[in-house]
Amino acid sequence: MLTGAVIAVGLQRPLWVLPAAFVSHFVLDVLPHFGVHHKNNAERDAHPLFKSVLIIDIVLALLILVVVPLVFHQTVNWWIVFTGMLIAWVPDTVWLRHFWHDRRGVKRTEPVWLTRFHQKIQWFEKPPGLILEVLWLGAMSFWLRALIV
């Protein structure tokens, strides 16, 4: 989401922000990121580290989604920043659906081509990937801070 905010503040043109923010998600998913080893999704979902990181991610995402557009409302329209952030996050909504189905015991449907692509590019999802995620969070926060004028 922060990358979507940086894109929105940097470009400030909705027609450029939307595709750039969307594509940025897949570019970032190629980089190593957090995940836990698991035999199946139920085991992963029950893992304490997974639960902790998930809760922290949700809280940070909601906080950032509210605060960042407000901070930049004088630099760029708040809705452009908000939309850039949401569009950068949208590809992950498929995992919400899968998570929900797994929790309810509903069989997953065959993934569409974009979901298969999304799964394939995420080649490194292990606990050490959290280090790169934290560094990226710091870099995007620093960049956003530098864009405040």
Side-chain angles (χ1 to χ4, degrees), residues 75-122:
T75 305
V76 60
N77 286 332
W78 70 269
W79 64 269
I80 296 174
V81 178
F82 185 82
T83 303
M85 293 171 73
L86 283 181
I87 293 299
W89 171 75
V90 158
D92 277 344
T93 59
V94 69
W95 310 131
L96 291 174
R97 191 172 126 233
H98 290 317
F99 183 77
W100 179 256
H101 284 167
D102 291 347
R103 302 286 289 178
R104 298 193 63 207
V106 175
K107 187 175 188 258
R108 291 183 181 188
T109 58
E110 185 65 29
V112 297
W113 70 270
L114 186 60
T115 303
R116 288 192 307 271
F117 169 75
H118 200 184
Q119 288 171 318
K120 189 172 274 190
I121 64 172
Q122 295 184 55

Side-chain angles (χ1 to χ4, degrees), residues 10 12 27 33 36 43 72-74 76 86 103 110 143 146:
Q12 298 188 16
V27 170
H33 55 284
V36 294
E43 183 181 301
F72 285 95
H73 79 279
Q74 291 182 347
V76 60
L86 283 181
R103 302 286 289 178
E110 185 65 29
W143 199 345

Side-chain angles (χ1 to χ4, degrees), residues 36-47:
V36 294
H37 297 288
H38 59 281
K39 293 178 185 169
N40 58 48
N41 292 325
E43 183 181 301
R44 178 207 61 207
D45 297 347
H47 195 286

